[in-house]
Amino acid sequence: MKIHKEGRKILFFTLLGLLVVNMLLYYFNSEHLTFNRIFSGISFIVFLLILQFFRSPYRNLLLHEDLVVAPADGKVVVIENVEEPEYFKDTRKQISIFMSPINVHITRNPVSGIVKYFKYHPGNYFVAWHPKSSTKNERTTVVVESLAGPQVLFRQIAGAMARRIVWYVTEGDEVNQGEEFGFIKFGSRVDIFVPVDTEVKVQLGQKTKGGQTVIAQLKTTV
């Protein structure tokens, strides 16, 4: 397992800061050895928690042009038909995956194809399961014209803890299913919008693995 590039600087400065604080405690607070040891233990746990958040495990990616794979690790929290107001401006089937702080936070392309639309939206930081998070939180919107024909829209959505969304795609890019398109730091969710006649392959509450779990099957139009 590797450490994701988005976490290397954070991990370096976190480790450096914790080491400095612990060294100062042992130097200036040497008479309270028990407190110093407890603080060192807490520092170690904090660093391990941040370390696991930025892990980048190897994945055997599932590739098929009419399948939609999970763009992230997490849990399915929404499956419903909704009005998509930004790009399609009609009814679409929405599938949402909530990413807890202990999940891998790499976000992956759910389909292969061409990026037809991209937009970054600054916004609020409601908790990721809040109904307003999809339209009010900081987020990105990506639309890919899949190899199967239908266009698939997906959003990275910041949550209460997430304060930075990173993306690696722009309009016109050719993207491959399962490859990274971004990263969300410290907890959030991803929404996917597909045509209403798409066959959903997951259930509410089901756990997903990015790049591996099949969440839907598109109706082929090409």
Side-chain angles (χ1 to χ4, degrees):
M1 184 180 68
K2 302 184 298 182
I3 300 302
H4 196 273
K5 62 183 180 181
E6 298 296 342
R8 291 168 190 164
K9 185 180 292 186
I10 291 175
L11 287 166
F12 173 77
F13 285 109
T14 299
L15 179 61
L16 183 62
L18 290 173
L19 285 174
V20 169
V21 172
N22 277 274
M23 289 173 65
L24 290 173
L25 274 177
Y26 277 93
Y27 184 79
F28 291 107
N29 196 39
S30 57
E31 67 275 15
H32 297 102
L33 190 58
T34 299
F35 174 83
N36 294 345
R37 287 174 176 171
I38 292 173
F39 188 87
S40 295
I42 293 173
S43 299
F44 181 70
I45 292 170
V46 168
F47 183 75
L48 285 182
L49 288 174
I50 298 174
L51 181 66
Q52 68 84 33
F53 177 84
F54 287 107
R55 68 195 188 278
S56 179
Y58 175 77
R59 292 284 164 86
N60 287 313
L61 302 177
L62 178 65
L63 305 175
H64 201 287
E65 65 181 30
D66 67 342
L67 297 180
V68 181
V69 298
D73 290 20
K75 182 172 71 173
V76 178
V77 293
V78 173
I79 302 174
E80 62 182 1
N81 290 345
V82 298
E83 289 296 311
E84 196 294 302
E86 179 180 350
Y87 181 80
F88 294 117
K89 297 180 173 60
D90 63 11
T91 303
R92 296 280 150 162
K93 192 177 296 294
Q94 176 182 339
I95 305 168
S96 298
I97 297 172
F98 172 70
M99 307 157 71
S100 78
I102 64 172
N103 288 127
V104 173
H105 275 63
I106 297 167
T107 48
R108 301 177 181 274
N109 298 303
V111 293
S112 295
I114 304 296
V115 178
K116 293 296 184 179
Y117 176 83
F118 173 86
K119 188 170 184 180
Y120 166 74
H121 303 267
N124 298 313
Y125 298 98
F126 293 113
V127 290
W129 56 84
H130 194 288
K132 291 184 178 180
S133 66
S134 292
T135 55
K136 300 297 184 182
N137 277 17
E138 179 185 4
R139 63 200 182 278
T140 62
T141 301
V142 183
V143 179
V144 172
E145 185 175 283
S146 69
L147 295 180
Q151 293 187 337
V152 176
L153 183 152
F154 43 101
R155 289 195 179 102
Q156 298 169 297
I157 302 171
M161 292 178 63
R163 297 290 164 169
R164 188 176 176 216
I165 294 175
V166 181
W167 60 90
Y168 312 132
V169 296
T170 57
E171 286 186 20
D173 285 353
E174 183 176 349
V175 296
N176 295 314
Q177 190 174 49
E179 290 186 355
E180 296 181 25
F181 80 85
F183 196 96
I184 310 177
K185 296 183 177 181
F186 299 112
S188 194
R189 94 184 212 184
V190 180
D191 290 348
I192 306 97
F193 294 83
V194 292
V196 292
D197 62 354
T198 301
E199 183 181 358
V200 177
K201 297 290 189 177
V202 289
Q203 299 177 334
L204 284 173
Q206 182 175 332
K207 299 288 181 64
T208 63
K209 282 194 172 184
Q212 289 186 333
T213 305
V214 176
I215 61 173
Q217 184 167 16
L218 300 167
K219 298 287 186 180
T220 304
T221 61
V222 293

